[in-house]
Amino acid sequence: MLETLEAWTGILDDGFGIDVIYLDYRKAFDTVPHSRLISNLQVRGIYGQLLQWIEAFLVGRSMRVMVSGSSSSWVKVSSGVPQGSVLGPILFLVFVNDLPDWVKSSFKMFANDSKLWATISNTTDRKTLQEDLNRLKCWSEKWLLRFNPEKCKVMHVGHSVPTEYTLQKKDQTFKQAEVEEEKDLGIYITNDFKIAKQCKEAAKKAMNVLRTVRRHFPRIHEPTFLILYKAYVRPHFKYCIQAWSPYFKKDTECLEQVQRRATKLINGFKNLKRLKLTTLEKRRLRRDLTETFKIITGREKIDKHEFFEETHAQP
């Protein structure tokens, strides 16, 4: 995510627009063909007993569905990698590892989440992006891992020139739906690059947790509150914060307001000092300073007092 946003920011700073296509596989982990996966592993140098062990891990599985004590008949599983296993996601990544080699445009993947984008400066760039989509279709036909054209989306960033991109499915041609925002790895990305939506959603989730805590804990003490707040509420403000750290006052206040409401769950507490909590903004600043200090000194671990003395920051 950080690499992607850094690349997009650089393109926008140069005065160009971006067309981003979010790709969606059709039942990605369940449709990986075993025979092609085994051949892919052989090409990558996996053979002998290790290959036989992986093949035994995949082949010969069966499944059934149980509802209210009644079950269906057993059905053999002829494709897919076992979800919930350690080896399953690794095998899927090996299977799709050569996908970026089929396109000329920029391509990023995280598990089964993929996105394709290109700098848009003229009509040739749009044609190149469409040609890349056609190449991806050829890849999906070769490896039998189908894309879901109905759920693939395109977002225009930094420009509003209407451009149609299509992805074929058998004999049908599907136009990619245009969107102004997309949830990418849990982060709301908008075509204007503002993070107000993400801040609102993070605050909303945190408030839902606070309401649950209030219902189940009519009276709450300081130690209990700190455990619940740090474990269930504050993580919503920390998730991938490096990618969406707020810089507008209204977005910062949107998050701080939730933390202030949280402290009111304890009778008699009106500020953060008695709980030894800092504002979320100070926490982000302290984190950035800590990471910078580690890079400068080349050390993985630092002493807290030494850090504050060296950086002249207040704990």
Side-chain angles (χ1 to χ4, degrees):
M1 177 63 72
L2 289 175
E3 291 177 356
T4 300
L5 294 178
E6 182 69 18
W8 291 358
T9 303
I11 295 172
L12 295 176
D13 288 343
D14 292 336
F16 299 110
I18 312 167
D19 278 353
V20 186
I21 299 178
Y22 289 92
L23 300 171
D24 183 81
Y25 298 101
R26 184 182 296 275
K27 298 181 179 180
F29 289 93
D30 296 329
T31 56
V32 175
H34 292 160
S35 58
R36 282 172 169 75
L37 175 57
I38 297 300
S39 64
N40 199 325
L41 293 173
Q42 290 176 325
V43 171
R44 301 186 184 281
I46 299 177
Y47 50 87
Q49 292 184 350
L50 177 58
L51 183 64
Q52 295 175 6
W53 182 84
I54 294 176
E55 186 174 5
F57 173 72
L58 295 172
V59 180
R61 290 178 173 271
S62 57
M63 62 181 295
R64 65 177 179 176
V65 179
M66 296 190 65
V67 179
S68 301
S70 301
S71 62
S72 65
S73 57
W74 288 98
V75 177
K76 291 185 178 181
V77 178
S78 58
S79 64
V81 292
Q83 297 189 48
S85 64
V86 176
L87 192 59
I90 297 176
L91 293 175
F92 179 82
L93 292 178
V94 172
F95 189 73
V96 300
N97 190 58
D98 66 334
L99 187 55
D101 299 334
W102 285 64
V103 299
K104 296 180 179 179
S105 304
S106 301
F107 197 88
K108 287 291 183 183
M109 297 189 301
F110 187 88
N112 62 330
D113 291 319
S114 305
K115 48 183 172 287
L116 174 74
W117 78 84
T119 303
I120 304 300
S121 58
N122 50 51
T123 55
T124 303
D125 296 329
R126 299 184 178 91
K127 292 180 180 179
T128 301
L129 194 56
Q130 179 60 59
E131 291 172 356
D132 286 337
L133 276 177
N134 298 336
R135 295 188 187 96
L136 293 179
K137 174 181 175 294
C138 296
W139 180 91
S140 67
E141 292 178 347
K142 177 182 178 179
W143 295 103
L144 301 181
L145 186 63
R146 309 296 183 185
F147 289 102
N148 193 351
E150 298 93 330
K151 294 185 178 180
C152 294
K153 304 171 186 177
V154 59
M155 184 168 63
H156 305 297
V157 181
H159 72 96
S160 57
V161 180
T163 305
E164 293 186 1
Y165 296 99
T166 58
L167 189 62
Q168 289 187 338
K169 176 185 175 184
K170 295 182 179 179
D171 296 332
Q172 293 181 299
T173 301
F174 290 86
K175 175 186 173 183
Q176 306 305 290
E178 296 184 6
V179 295
E180 295 183 355
E181 66 179 42
E182 179 66 14
K183 192 175 183 180
D184 188 2
L185 300 181
I187 305 298
Y188 286 91
I189 304 297
T190 60
N191 59 353
D192 58 4
F193 255 37
K194 294 182 179 180
I195 45 92
K197 174 74 173 180
Q198 177 64 27
C199 292
K200 291 179 181 178
E201 291 297 323
K204 180 180 178 181
K205 291 180 180 179
M207 282 300 302
N208 290 337
V209 176
L210 286 179
R211 295 187 185 99
T212 303
V213 171
R214 188 183 295 113
R215 286 197 300 268
H216 291 81
F217 295 87
R219 295 182 62 85
I220 188 169
H221 302 288
E222 177 183 346
T224 305
F225 167 80
L226 290 174
I227 293 174
L228 294 173
Y229 176 73
K230 293 180 179 180
Y232 298 107
V233 180
R234 198 162 65 184
H236 292 292
F237 304 135
K238 297 168 58 179
Y239 172 74
C240 219
I241 189 62
Q242 296 86 347
W244 60 276
S245 182
Y247 46 88
F248 287 128
K249 185 67 177 178
K250 63 181 182 65
D251 296 329
T252 302
E253 185 62 23
C254 178
L255 303 180
E256 299 290 354
Q257 185 178 7
V258 179
Q259 182 169 247
R260 289 195 297 268
R261 289 184 179 179
T263 60
K264 295 180 181 179
L265 293 177
I266 307 177
N267 295 330
F269 281 77
K270 298 182 179 179
N271 53 54
L272 302 174
K273 292 183 179 179
R274 289 185 59 183
L275 292 170
K276 297 182 181 180
L277 295 174
T278 62
T279 63
L280 298 172
E281 186 176 13
K282 287 184 178 180
R283 281 183 56 83
R284 292 191 296 270
L285 177 61
R286 186 167 61 186
R287 183 208 67 234
D288 294 339
L289 290 174
T290 305
E291 295 300 324
T292 304
F293 189 81
K294 288 181 180 179
I295 294 173
I296 294 175
T297 59
R299 300 195 317 235
E300 288 296 327
K301 296 182 179 179
I302 61 174
D303 181 78
K304 180 175 65 174
H305 300 289
E306 178 187 3
F307 165 71
F308 288 122
E309 181 180 348
E310 292 290 338
T311 58
H312 303 287
Q314 296 297 322

